[in-house]
Amino acid sequence: MKKYLFLFILLLTSISKISADDITFVIQAPASTVKGAQLQLQYVLKGGEGSSIEIPDEIKGFDILYGPSISQMYSSSNVNGKVTSESNITYTYLLQAKEEGTFTLPVATVKVGGKNYKSNSKQIKVLPPDKNAQPTQPGQRVEATTSSSTVDNVSSSDIFVRIIPSKTRFKEQEAVTVTFRLYSTLDIMYLSDAKFPEFEGFMTEEFDLSRNQQIGMEHYQGRNYYAVDFKKTLLFPQRSGKISIPSGTVEAVIRVPSGRKVNTFFGPQEVMTETKKVMRTNPLVLDVSALPIENKPLNFSGGVGNFTFTPTITSEKVKANDAVTIKLEIKGTGNLKLIKNPEVKFPKDIETYDPVVKNDFKITESGLSGTKTIEYMFIPRYQGKYAIPPIEFSYFDTRSNSYKTVSSPAYNLDVDKDPNAGQNVSTSYSNQRNVEVEQDIRYLKTGGFSFSDQQSFFAGSFTYWVWYIIPFILFVVFFIVYRKQIKANSDIALMRTKKANKVATKRLKLAKQYLQSGKNDNFYEEILRAVWGYLSDKLTIPVAELNRENIEAELLKYGIDEALIRQFIDILDTGEFARYAPSGGGEAMDKLYNDTVDAIGKMESTIKKINK
């Protein structure tokens, strides 16, 4: 009986422990707000029922207007006969920002089942109000600046894109982050086209930005904007001097007032409409200084950043024909991918192999952070003692702004005789060694001989004239073909039409690669580029001027049937919707890819029939 009672108590203890592990208590609040604005501060308890909540009576930078209001939600599900339930309790406070600056929202404490749980803390940035904003009334919400732009007059100060470098003066090979940030006071539907500038003179690495990142607020030039980063690139300059990054363009579809009002049950309402806005990014000039020549080591690896160097060897006492590995681990942050392998000076009688390099790093704003591992494997073939001198690693340290050299210890190999090798056993390495030493041996040429008549001459023979005539004929043919090609290339519209299918096929191949590797955003972007570019080339209409209406009208003039036109329009709608909304998964992407290939194929077949 005592045994069963003990097992029952142990079971209850395990269940309570599991339940306790499932309890979470987190804070939810916006990342930024405006002075004078009201906001909700929520503490969410999951997995338990709290008996009380405690927070400080005062929160620095804010007035507590109301709270807490408590809301509770229960949910349950039955999957394959397994019933699970979940309870959420939300404690909501209404705050009003009264000071500018960055403040920390306090940790709250809640009691669940006699045990106290603490929430996390969170920072919130309070921005100054707009310089032209009207004074707010008590209880009035404060948001980003509203715009008076209409469909005919979208102000460049209401929506624009900035290229923001993490720094403008830095050294060659030193990492710098460039961020493309969108600012807007308007309702953005989606970004339809982006042409980013080329980073000539830089090695680049792209950050993987989440599509679901939170849109924050930022105070810029006296106004508050909704801001979001849509592209971030890590740059490593490959040369010194002032390097210019040209402007790029980003096209957005936005909702703005049309200038018309309609009467509704709630009174006159402004009619909204969609319009395109092409934004040009600001050009940049980055000042890249060369690495100092003074005290530059002769064996400089090209590394720029902050690194540690850890060398190891598997063993210094081995037998002949045993493999030995020297592993060099370079760890830190900087241009890890561009670091040259440190040189290892092996003795002559050691057989060596090409090093194996393994890179394990992630992209950060300070550079590539992680580890580069270089493994040198070698085999001593003969008994004896061998010395491997210290292996040096030299790099430029950005913290101390100076060169640093670290090295391994000298390795002294004690190689014993191979017990498995007989006196007459030869290896491939020993054969190579013998050939190298015995250079006095020369092989005799064997086989038959061929003779020629002394009275016969190549000059003036038939073969002699053929070698002159054939190049002349080839030159004439090449000249005629070349002239025809120049004439054809001069017709730009015709060339674009001819190459439309070829360009679209290349983009579809790239989209297929993105599909197979699971890069959904890149897949949809490449599908849209393929279709927009194909229709632009076929209809000889710039992409910026293309829209669904003139596509339909021009294709009808071309003689394309309405079913195929509808298929193209559906592809564009599906691709653009999927880029800014959750996609339907792999099957939907496969279907979109197959529909695109089918539509372009049908278009090409129809055009061939029309041209016959």
Side-chain angles (χ1 to χ4, degrees), residues 393-560:
F393 170 60
S394 299
Y395 67 97
F396 184 83
D397 184 55
T398 52
R399 290 179 180 173
S400 62
N401 203 31
S402 62
Y403 291 101
K404 288 188 176 181
T405 300
V406 289
S407 63
S408 71
Y411 297 117
N412 297 307
L413 297 179
D414 186 1
V415 183
D416 291 336
K417 183 179 179 180
D418 185 357
N420 299 320
Q423 295 294 329
N424 298 323
V425 176
S426 63
T427 64
S428 60
Y429 179 75
S430 63
N431 290 335
Q432 296 172 10
R433 186 170 180 267
N434 291 335
V435 170
E436 180 184 349
V437 173
E438 299 170 2
Q439 294 188 10
D440 57 330
I441 298 176
R442 297 292 185 270
Y443 292 100
L444 298 176
K445 183 178 180 181
T446 59
F449 299 92
S450 60
F451 300 94
S452 59
D453 188 356
Q454 291 184 352
Q455 302 300 321
S456 62
F457 297 96
F458 176 72
S461 65
F462 175 75
T463 306
Y464 173 82
W465 289 110
V466 166
W467 281 105
Y468 275 99
I469 294 172
I470 290 178
F472 177 75
I473 295 174
L474 291 175
F475 174 77
V476 173
V477 172
F478 172 78
F479 181 77
I480 295 172
V481 172
Y482 181 69
R483 294 290 297 177
K484 289 184 177 180
Q485 187 66 35
I486 291 176
K487 186 177 180 180
N489 290 342
S490 63
D491 191 345
I492 298 176
L494 179 62
M495 291 303 297
R496 284 185 60 189
T497 302
K498 287 183 176 181
K499 293 182 179 180
N501 186 41
K502 185 177 180 180
V503 173
T505 301
K506 287 183 179 180
R507 287 174 173 167
L508 288 175
K509 286 182 179 179
L510 183 57
K512 185 70 172 178
Q513 295 176 5
Y514 289 141
L515 173 62
Q516 294 172 347
S517 58
K519 297 181 179 179
N520 297 3
D521 293 349
N522 294 337
F523 167 76
Y524 286 115
E525 184 177 351
E526 208 59 40
I527 285 289
L528 290 173
R529 285 183 178 179
V531 176
W532 282 110
Y534 177 78
L535 294 174
S536 172
D537 292 339
K538 282 295 181 185
L539 302 176
T540 63
I541 299 176
V543 176
E545 299 178 10
L546 274 181
N547 53 54
R548 288 160 179 75
E549 291 74 18
N550 59 16
I551 287 175
E552 185 173 357
E554 292 297 327
L555 288 178
L556 286 173
K557 292 180 184 179
Y558 222 95
I560 307 301

Side-chain angles (χ1 to χ4, degrees), residues 370-391:
T371 305
K372 180 172 187 172
T373 305
I374 307 105
E375 294 184 354
Y376 289 90
M377 191 184 77
F378 60 94
I379 301 176
R381 293 298 186 184
Y382 303 99
Q383 180 182 359
K385 295 185 181 296
Y386 303 90
I388 299 176
I391 306 165

Side-chain angles (χ1 to χ4, degrees), residues 559-561 564 601-611:
I560 307 301
D561 60 83
L564 182 54
K602 288 180 180 178
M603 181 78 167
E604 290 295 313
S605 301
T606 304
I607 292 173
K608 288 180 181 179
K609 291 179 182 179
I610 294 174
N611 293 335

Side-chain angles (χ1 to χ4, degrees), residues 357-374:
V357 180
K358 298 177 183 178
N359 291 317
D360 181 19
F361 44 70
K362 61 182 179 180
I363 302 175
T364 68
E365 294 200 4
S366 300
L368 299 175
S369 181
T371 305
K372 180 172 187 172
T373 305
I374 307 105

Side-chain angles (χ1 to χ4, degrees), residues 42-45 68-73 88-92:
Q42 294 181 329
Y43 295 91
V44 181
L45 176 65
S69 63
I70 303 174
S71 61
Q72 195 164 2
M73 181 185 70
N88 292 345
I89 302 178
T90 303
Y91 302 88
T92 303

Side-chain angles (χ1 to χ4, degrees), residues 255-313:
R255 291 180 74 247
V256 293
S258 63
R260 296 185 296 107
K261 291 186 178 181
V262 295
N263 293 321
T264 65
F265 177 79
F266 301 98
Q269 297 290 328
E270 187 78 43
V271 177
M272 306 298 288
T273 186
E274 293 183 6
T275 186
K276 287 185 179 180
K277 172 68 175 178
V278 179
M279 298 163 286
R280 183 170 294 276
T281 62
N282 52 297
L284 282 180
V285 177
L286 301 179
D287 189 359
V288 182
S289 58
L291 294 174
I293 299 177
E294 185 180 358
N295 299 324
K296 184 175 182 179
L298 295 176
N299 59 350
F300 176 56
S301 66
V304 176
N306 307 294
F307 306 105
T308 60
F309 181 62
T310 307
T312 56
I313 188 169

